[in-house]
Amino acid sequence: MPIGLKRAYDPPASEDGLRILVDRLWPRGLSRQEAHIDIWAKDVAPSPALRKWFGHDSAKWREFQALYESELAHNSEAVIALRRMIGDKVATLVYAARDVEHTHAIVTKRVLECITF
């Protein structure tokens, strides 16, 4: 099953399946009840230092992807554990960033979809 992507501020839908928040920080102004998050995977989010360095600057996107993939490779236990939780279920990675083209969730999705059991 492919893994979906969705902003935390977009309304949840039954098609989302397992909703996994992949941010280290809870989305501002969103209650836990409104978010309908099943798993909060803080451990697979970018480190605070990398997140601050990137600052959602699209000019840094290519380098950010490489640095974040490296972080995920060094955190393989958490990544593999998350992939196992997803299994063959329908899942959606939820993130708070406004920029849907330059979000760490894209990288997380790509890495998770490469893991097979």
Side-chain angles (χ1 to χ4, degrees):
M1 286 272 156
I3 298 169
L5 295 172
K6 194 171 205 176
R7 288 195 70 233
Y9 303 103
D10 293 339
S14 59
E15 308 85 59
D16 294 345
L18 192 64
R19 289 176 53 87
I20 305 163
L21 180 62
V22 291
D23 285 342
R24 228 171 254 282
L25 305 173
W26 189 264
R28 283 189 185 164
L30 191 64
S31 75
R32 293 183 191 269
Q33 190 174 17
E34 290 171 312
H36 295 278
I37 298 298
D38 298 302
I39 299 169
W40 187 2
K42 297 178 203 178
D43 294 345
V44 300
S47 67
L50 181 58
R51 183 176 53 81
K52 287 176 186 171
W53 170 82
F54 177 47
H56 299 286
D57 179 351
S58 60
K60 296 179 179 177
W61 176 238
R62 188 171 297 223
E63 187 176 0
F64 170 80
Q65 289 180 85
L67 292 169
Y68 181 41
E69 284 179 12
S70 177
E71 281 191 356
L72 290 173
H74 285 92
N75 191 17
S76 61
E77 282 186 30
V79 175
I80 290 169
L82 180 57
R83 186 66 187 101
R84 282 200 172 111
M85 283 187 250
I86 294 169
D88 60 357
K89 299 178 194 90
V90 173
T92 299
L93 302 183
V94 179
Y95 60 94
R98 287 184 199 162
D99 185 345
V100 299
E101 294 179 22
H102 303 100
T103 174
H104 70 283
I106 293 169
V107 179
T108 309
K109 175 184 186 307
R110 185 171 57 233
V111 169
L112 289 170
E113 288 181 336
C114 288
I115 299 172
T116 58
F117 298 106

PDB file of all heavy atoms in Angstrom, residues 65-79:
ATOM      1  N   GLN A  65      17.381  17.366   1.970  1.00  0.00           N
ATOM      2  CA  GLN A  65      16.980  15.981   1.720  1.00  0.00           C
ATOM      3  C   GLN A  65      18.120  15.013   2.036  1.00  0.00           C
ATOM      4  O   GLN A  65      17.912  13.987   2.690  1.00  0.00           O
ATOM      5  CB  GLN A  65      16.544  15.800   0.269  1.00  0.00           C
ATOM      6  CG  GLN A  65      15.228  16.454  -0.058  1.00  0.00           C
ATOM      7  CD  GLN A  65      14.863  16.247  -1.495  1.00  0.00           C
ATOM      8  OE1 GLN A  65      14.288  15.221  -1.835  1.00  0.00           O
ATOM      9  NE2 GLN A  65      15.211  17.192  -2.357  1.00  0.00           N
ATOM     10  N   ALA A  66      19.312  15.337   1.554  1.00  0.00           N
ATOM     11  CA  ALA A  66      20.473  14.467   1.792  1.00  0.00           C
ATOM     12  C   ALA A  66      20.798  14.378   3.286  1.00  0.00           C
ATOM     13  O   ALA A  66      21.063  13.284   3.809  1.00  0.00           O
ATOM     14  CB  ALA A  66      21.678  14.974   1.013  1.00  0.00           C
ATOM     15  N   LEU A  67      20.778  15.511   3.968  1.00  0.00           N
ATOM     16  CA  LEU A  67      21.088  15.525   5.397  1.00  0.00           C
ATOM     17  C   LEU A  67      20.035  14.767   6.205  1.00  0.00           C
ATOM     18  O   LEU A  67      20.350  14.022   7.132  1.00  0.00           O
ATOM     19  CB  LEU A  67      21.211  16.969   5.898  1.00  0.00           C
ATOM     20  CG  LEU A  67      22.410  17.755   5.367  1.00  0.00           C
ATOM     21  CD1 LEU A  67      22.272  19.243   5.717  1.00  0.00           C
ATOM     22  CD2 LEU A  67      23.715  17.185   5.911  1.00  0.00           C
ATOM     23  N   TYR A  68      18.787  14.936   5.834  1.00  0.00           N
ATOM     24  CA  TYR A  68      17.707  14.255   6.551  1.00  0.00           C
ATOM     25  C   TYR A  68      17.742  12.748   6.284  1.00  0.00           C
ATOM     26  O   TYR A  68      17.551  11.938   7.203  1.00  0.00           O
ATOM     27  CB  TYR A  68      16.364  14.869   6.175  1.00  0.00           C
ATOM     28  CG  TYR A  68      15.190  14.247   6.875  1.00  0.00           C
ATOM     29  CD1 TYR A  68      15.233  13.904   8.217  1.00  0.00           C
ATOM     30  CD2 TYR A  68      14.011  14.007   6.183  1.00  0.00           C
ATOM     31  CE1 TYR A  68      14.144  13.330   8.853  1.00  0.00           C
ATOM     32  CE2 TYR A  68      12.914  13.445   6.810  1.00  0.00           C
ATOM     33  CZ  TYR A  68      12.991  13.101   8.140  1.00  0.00           C
ATOM     34  OH  TYR A  68      11.909  12.535   8.760  1.00  0.00           O
ATOM     35  N   GLU A  69      17.997  12.354   5.047  1.00  0.00           N
ATOM     36  CA  GLU A  69      18.132  10.921   4.753  1.00  0.00           C
ATOM     37  C   GLU A  69      19.258  10.312   5.580  1.00  0.00           C
ATOM     38  O   GLU A  69      19.145   9.182   6.060  1.00  0.00           O
ATOM     39  CB  GLU A  69      18.366  10.698   3.260  1.00  0.00           C
ATOM     40  CG  GLU A  69      17.116  10.855   2.437  1.00  0.00           C
ATOM     41  CD  GLU A  69      17.346  10.649   0.948  1.00  0.00           C
ATOM     42  OE1 GLU A  69      18.420  10.162   0.551  1.00  0.00           O
ATOM     43  OE2 GLU A  69      16.430  10.989   0.181  1.00  0.00           O
ATOM     44  N   SER A  70      20.339  11.057   5.760  1.00  0.00           N
ATOM     45  CA  SER A  70      21.448  10.591   6.594  1.00  0.00           C
ATOM     46  C   SER A  70      20.989  10.422   8.046  1.00  0.00           C
ATOM     47  O   SER A  70      21.337   9.436   8.697  1.00  0.00           O
ATOM     48  CB  SER A  70      22.615  11.571   6.502  1.00  0.00           C
ATOM     49  OG  SER A  70      23.662  11.163   7.344  1.00  0.00           O
ATOM     50  N   GLU A  71      20.229  11.389   8.550  1.00  0.00           N
ATOM     51  CA  GLU A  71      19.698  11.256   9.910  1.00  0.00           C
ATOM     52  C   GLU A  71      18.818  10.010  10.031  1.00  0.00           C
ATOM     53  O   GLU A  71      18.929   9.269  11.008  1.00  0.00           O
ATOM     54  CB  GLU A  71      18.879  12.489  10.302  1.00  0.00           C
ATOM     55  CG  GLU A  71      19.682  13.671  10.705  1.00  0.00           C
ATOM     56  CD  GLU A  71      18.849  14.782  11.332  1.00  0.00           C
ATOM     57  OE1 GLU A  71      17.604  14.685  11.407  1.00  0.00           O
ATOM     58  OE2 GLU A  71      19.473  15.767  11.768  1.00  0.00           O
ATOM     59  N   LEU A  72      17.971   9.789   9.054  1.00  0.00           N
ATOM     60  CA  LEU A  72      17.092   8.618   9.102  1.00  0.00           C
ATOM     61  C   LEU A  72      17.897   7.323   9.044  1.00  0.00           C
ATOM     62  O   LEU A  72      17.564   6.346   9.729  1.00  0.00           O
ATOM     63  CB  LEU A  72      16.068   8.672   7.969  1.00  0.00           C
ATOM     64  CG  LEU A  72      14.993   9.752   8.099  1.00  0.00           C
ATOM     65  CD1 LEU A  72      14.148   9.821   6.837  1.00  0.00           C
ATOM     66  CD2 LEU A  72      14.123   9.514   9.325  1.00  0.00           C
ATOM     67  N   ALA A  73      18.955   7.306   8.262  1.00  0.00           N
ATOM     68  CA  ALA A  73      19.815   6.117   8.178  1.00  0.00           C
ATOM     69  C   ALA A  73      20.478   5.824   9.523  1.00  0.00           C
ATOM     70  O   ALA A  73      20.628   4.666   9.912  1.00  0.00           O
ATOM     71  CB  ALA A  73      20.871   6.306   7.095  1.00  0.00           C
ATOM     72  N   HIS A  74      20.850   6.875  10.238  1.00  0.00           N
ATOM     73  CA  HIS A  74      21.460   6.699  11.558  1.00  0.00           C
ATOM     74  C   HIS A  74      20.423   6.396  12.635  1.00  0.00           C
ATOM     75  O   HIS A  74      20.779   6.039  13.756  1.00  0.00           O
ATOM     76  CB  HIS A  74      22.272   7.948  11.935  1.00  0.00           C
ATOM     77  CG  HIS A  74      23.555   8.035  11.195  1.00  0.00           C
ATOM     78  ND1 HIS A  74      23.671   8.707  10.002  1.00  0.00           N
ATOM     79  CD2 HIS A  74      24.769   7.495  11.454  1.00  0.00           C
ATOM     80  CE1 HIS A  74      24.909   8.594   9.562  1.00  0.00           C
ATOM     81  NE2 HIS A  74      25.593   7.861  10.417  1.00  0.00           N
ATOM     82  N   ASN A  75      19.167   6.533  12.309  1.00  0.00           N
ATOM     83  CA  ASN A  75      18.067   6.271  13.233  1.00  0.00           C
ATOM     84  C   ASN A  75      17.208   5.126  12.690  1.00  0.00           C
ATOM     85  O   ASN A  75      15.991   5.144  12.781  1.00  0.00           O
ATOM     86  CB  ASN A  75      17.231   7.553  13.403  1.00  0.00           C
ATOM     87  CG  ASN A  75      16.239   7.449  14.525  1.00  0.00           C
ATOM     88  OD1 ASN A  75      16.336   6.597  15.390  1.00  0.00           O
ATOM     89  ND2 ASN A  75      15.250   8.317  14.500  1.00  0.00           N
ATOM     90  N   SER A  76      17.868   4.143  12.125  1.00  0.00           N
ATOM     91  CA  SER A  76      17.155   3.088  11.407  1.00  0.00           C
ATOM     92  C   SER A  76      16.203   2.287  12.293  1.00  0.00           C
ATOM     93  O   SER A  76      15.171   1.826  11.816  1.00  0.00           O
ATOM     94  CB  SER A  76      18.133   2.157  10.702  1.00  0.00           C
ATOM     95  OG  SER A  76      18.984   1.530  11.646  1.00  0.00           O
ATOM     96  N   GLU A  77      16.509   2.137  13.578  1.00  0.00           N
ATOM     97  CA  GLU A  77      15.604   1.384  14.457  1.00  0.00           C
ATOM     98  C   GLU A  77      14.223   2.023  14.511  1.00  0.00           C
ATOM     99  O   GLU A  77      13.214   1.335  14.407  1.00  0.00           O
ATOM    100  CB  GLU A  77      16.180   1.280  15.868  1.00  0.00           C
ATOM    101  CG  GLU A  77      17.261   0.233  15.995  1.00  0.00           C
ATOM    102  CD  GLU A  77      17.701   0.046  17.435  1.00  0.00           C
ATOM    103  OE1 GLU A  77      16.879   0.243  18.353  1.00  0.00           O
ATOM    104  OE2 GLU A  77      18.871  -0.304  17.624  1.00  0.00           O
ATOM    105  N   ALA A  78      14.169   3.330  14.675  1.00  0.00           N
ATOM    106  CA  ALA A  78      12.877   4.027  14.743  1.00  0.00           C
ATOM    107  C   ALA A  78      12.155   3.966  13.397  1.00  0.00           C
ATOM    108  O   ALA A  78      10.938   3.796  13.347  1.00  0.00           O
ATOM    109  CB  ALA A  78      13.072   5.476  15.177  1.00  0.00           C
ATOM    110  N   VAL A  79      12.903   4.093  12.318  1.00  0.00           N
ATOM    111  CA  VAL A  79      12.309   4.057  10.975  1.00  0.00           C
ATOM    112  C   VAL A  79      11.731   2.669  10.701  1.00  0.00           C
ATOM    113  O   VAL A  79      10.588   2.534  10.232  1.00  0.00           O
ATOM    114  CB  VAL A  79      13.348   4.452   9.907  1.00  0.00           C
ATOM    115  CG1 VAL A  79      12.780   4.299   8.507  1.00  0.00           C
ATOM    116  CG2 VAL A  79      13.834   5.875  10.133  1.00  0.00           C
TER     117      VAL A  79
END
